[in-house]
Amino acid sequence: MPADTSRWLDLLLQANVLKTTPRTGWHLRWVPDPENVAAHSWGTAMVALVLAEMSDVELDRGRMLTMAMLHDLAETEVSDIPRMAKQFLPEGAKNEAEAQALAAILSGLPMAPDWTELMADYEQERSPEAQLVRDADRLEFLLQAWVYRETHGNARLEEVRWAYIGRQFTTPAAQLLAQAVLERWESSTSQG
Amino acid sequence: MPADTSRWLDLLLQANVLKTTPRTGWHLRWVPDPENVAAHSWGTAMVALVLAEMSDVELDRGRMLTMAMLHDLAETEVSDIPRMAKQFLPEGAKNEAEAQALAAILSGLPMAPDWTELMADYEQERSPEAQLVRDADRLEFLLQAWVYRETHGNARLEEVRWAYIGRQFTTPAAQLLAQAVLERWESSTSQG
Amino acid sequence: MPADTSRWLDLLLQANVLKTTPRTGWHLRWVPDPENVAAHSWGTAMVALVLAEMSDVELDRGRMLTMAMLHDLAETEVSDIPRMAKQFLPEGAKNEAEAQALAAILSGLPMAPDWTELMADYEQERSPEAQLVRDADRLEFLLQAWVYRETHGNARLEEVRWAYIGRQFTTPAAQLLAQAVLERWESSTSQG
Amino acid sequence: MPADTSRWLDLLLQANVLKTTPRTGWHLRWVPDPENVAAHSWGTAMVALVLAEMSDVELDRGRMLTMAMLHDLAETEVSDIPRMAKQFLPEGAKNEAEAQALAAILSGLPMAPDWTELMADYEQERSPEAQLVRDADRLEFLLQAWVYRETHGNARLEEVRWAYIGRQFTTPAAQLLAQAVLERWESSTSQG
Amino acid sequence: MPADTSRWLDLLLQANVLKTTPRTGWHLRWVPDPENVAAHSWGTAMVALVLAEMSDVELDRGRMLTMAMLHDLAETEVSDIPRMAKQFLPEGAKNEAEAQALAAILSGLPMAPDWTELMADYEQERSPEAQLVRDADRLEFLLQAWVYRETHGNARLEEVRWAYIGRQFTTPAAQLLAQAVLERWESSTSQG
Amino acid sequence: MPADTSRWLDLLLQANVLKTTPRTGWHLRWVPDPENVAAHSWGTAMVALVLAEMSDVELDRGRMLTMAMLHDLAETEVSDIPRMAKQFLPEGAKNEAEAQALAAILSGLPMAPDWTELMADYEQERSPEAQLVRDADRLEFLLQAWVYRETHGNARLEEVRWAYIGRQFTTPAAQLLAQAVLERWESSTSQG
């Protein structure tokens, strides 16, 4: 049964909220007026595209990019709860809340089962596409942290650099790119 | 055992994060560049002061204002999870997370037991001071919503007005002030 | 011949500029602190996804979403020259500049021929994917204009509504969605 | 004679202006989009609370926190005239203007005499509460200057550090905390 | 005796502060992120140019535009004290403070006497150029208030419209332009 | 034939757009929330005034300041196309587009021929006034780059310093001032 046009419009309006939802992680590190979740989602998709080009694994790019676009959609209901808050919530509560919120956001839409399966794959990093997009999400954060470090002079962001040294990525391309970011970061920090 | 100066400074630095933490509820309603949690906490204390002056109940003002100042301090760890997200979290999980975060924020400080008791009172609205500050918190939200409605032309904020019509406050002074805000709001909306 | 990691990182850094490039069209209509091109690109991909779900045409979603992600990448060199400026430039100069800028951005990268072909398809609206993403780009602008109208009270945006009344989209789904936006817009304008 | 509800609401609306009044001192030092007076007032109250906890002097906390909340209320009429402007105004003119503005803001309200007395005490630093809140106001400025230095990379803020070296505070706790801020500041400046 | 280059550079750096000094009058009316004094000074010069073109009086345009550029330079020392604060300051204290601040800003520069005479003329509205720039300053405020009213939906700005109805300008061209702004404002308010 | 008042008002409204048009060059260098074109135009006029005071050449200051005020007016139609985009446009296309846009902006206004001649002089740097204002425009950019470097900690702005080392200005006063900026910049960078 197809949804009526008004239902599709409601979905787009809800998604639009991500354009004005700032990423909580940057506020907690005193980054003024930081990027919003929509821009980060675009950035994640860009990194995913580059990782796909760098590797020779066969990937379903429609699936991969849809994942990147949608991976924070539940935040329009649940907000961007930062990673460090998870220690204070019951085990799995954040993921469960996001899954339920996604169900509410998609209710009555024909592709709800498909997108739900897609997001479950992403959370559990099952498929090669999911593993690559998860890597892209983390790499995008590292990259943005360095850009803010370079262009805002925010010394608190050095803790992001330290947190990523020695960190393991699933895909070799992500490992290479993360290494390249860390090298440039170290080089500019020691000079400036 | 007194804490050393460095521990007190760490507390102030963590609290300082509230100055750059925007209130999530406004982003979800498309208010651009909204107030931060520090300014809201100050506003809550101002409303509490006015409610105290309007009523003839005897109140411990030190206790009342400390509550207003601190009531969102846990958000420096947990972020400002919006009210509507609670439906997706286990019963009581948000309050429990905030209580645990507060314990972490205050650990090692001599007044930790006092502030913990104070915040528990606030959450459970036991004392007259707690009831008044809870009313102040809600009233401050209504007042700010109207100010944004008047000065940003944001039609989505009308839903806040509708949500507050008929709402019950605990203290008579808050009931009177809420009624006054709603009357001015209605009057300016019907004119403009 | 594969590019080295540093070259891929340079591409990502250049793309990152779109996160801080505001859309010129909003400034010219006095929208303060408007969305940036990265958020718009994400929005375009979201609309494209919805249009694809609404229609029963078979589409290459990897191609479609890549187009949406990349369609403004040349603006990192050329800036976001507004539509109305085209009347003052030689016929085709803006498109030609963007094509040359894209060539410079992709030079030395193995997928340069593929992405170049993709963007040429987009500009000329040849494939069904290109037609749908072009519709998505226009629809995203209409949708955002309405959101700003509703939430910023900017009367100048009514000219966007007038410009879209009677406008033809290529895909039936876009036609339906545009109609739905215009109806809600008219309804809220006549009330408020 | 009690004031009517509408008069109380007017007071809250006037106070609300402090949420959008940026602190002039930061603009003069090129801090972009700095904190507003409401957030600073909250910060002053937080510092005052910590100073009270650090010391063993008996204090009226209601009086102390009310002072911190209200100490810049006159700026809703007079604006935040910076300290350095005082050399160009007649002796005492700024304080006198603020006292008169406060009288206008509170006119017709039953607690006007109490709040007037409170603010006079604050200006003249008579009571232990006033001395502590004055120290808190100055310490909050130093703390915020360091946070901006660390997170905005603003070299002009070093002049604040220099101005505070050797400065005397009235309360021993403030002296200790200021010393701790200066030590961390110096340590991070010499490293970065 | 010519000043050395370093002294001229100091003057330009001090003037540069006006680029980040927001106009206080807008904050007091809840305009978020309002224009700064530099942009207003440019706007005043633009209005002055138009008034000069509309009239057939012979004017020294170098003198006129220099006045418009410099008329708020003292605010880099004194800040933008709003008009309504004057009632709380001694008679003439604001003007006197600005004159002294200007003297400090220009001390040691060869054109100090010329610029001082120019600003005294402006304050006292003696010359035709001074009268026209004063009109331009007021008209620029009215124009900007209407632009904010149209594009921010700020109902509080209607009070500016009411304040300008019936207001007398010195130059006939300013009178005509103010009337034209008020007519458009009334027309758009009654429609929207 | 005089224009009617409404036509003059339209000109002022169009010019007003420069107050909300950010300078593209800063966005491309990751400067967040940079200055707008109106503030830059005011800054250019200030630098021009200082250059005129530093030199002993006889200048028509009305002509000089009008040039500085108007030199980016065409950007209200064409947008602020960055210098580096010129390599992708046909030879002279950007200047030609700005000339045509200016003609459209001034059409029907009595001073159109005068202002057109003025801007052509500026573009071609014929008169001493034009040469000085061109120098002022470049110097203002250098000065602002250094201010952002000092106060935002943006390491990417070092490339502006490098680009100006050894650069030739037309007027000796500009050469001296540029040298003074570069010396201070180098001195503060080497200190850290």
Side-chain angles (χ1 to χ4, degrees), chain E residues 42-64:
Chain E
W42 173 83
T44 301
M46 278 302 298
V47 173
L49 263 184
V50 161
L51 292 179
E53 294 292 339
M54 289 174 73
S55 80
D56 48 8
V57 179
E58 197 68 27
L59 293 160
D60 177 344
R61 296 208 177 184
R63 183 174 183 84
M64 176 186 87

Side-chain angles (χ1 to χ4, degrees), chain E residues 53 61, chain F residues 63 66 70 102 106 109-121:
Chain E
E53 294 292 339
R61 296 208 177 184
Chain F
R63 183 174 182 84
T66 304
L70 300 178
L102 191 70
L106 301 179
L109 289 167
M111 81 300 192
D114 295 346
W115 287 17
T116 302
E117 182 272 331
L118 200 78
M119 284 297 96
D121 178 12

Side-chain angles (χ1 to χ4, degrees), chain E residues 89-109:
Chain E
L89 288 167
E91 179 80 22
K94 180 170 181 259
N95 283 4
E96 179 58 27
E98 290 172 353
Q100 285 186 34
L102 191 69
I105 294 166
L106 302 178
S107 86
L109 289 166

Side-chain angles (χ1 to χ4, degrees), chain B residues 6 19 35 69 140 144, chain D residues 19 35 42 140 144 184:
Chain B
S6 194
K19 284 191 182 182
E35 62 167 343
M69 302 302 303
E140 219 274 328
Q144 190 59 52
Chain D
K19 285 191 182 182
E35 62 166 344
W42 172 83
E140 219 275 328
Q144 189 59 51
R184 287 211 200 168

Side-chain angles (χ1 to χ4, degrees), chain B residues 79-93:
Chain B
S79 83
D80 180 17
I81 302 176
R83 184 176 304 268
M84 75 191 194
K86 290 174 84 167
Q87 62 181 307
F88 302 118
L89 287 167
E91 180 78 22

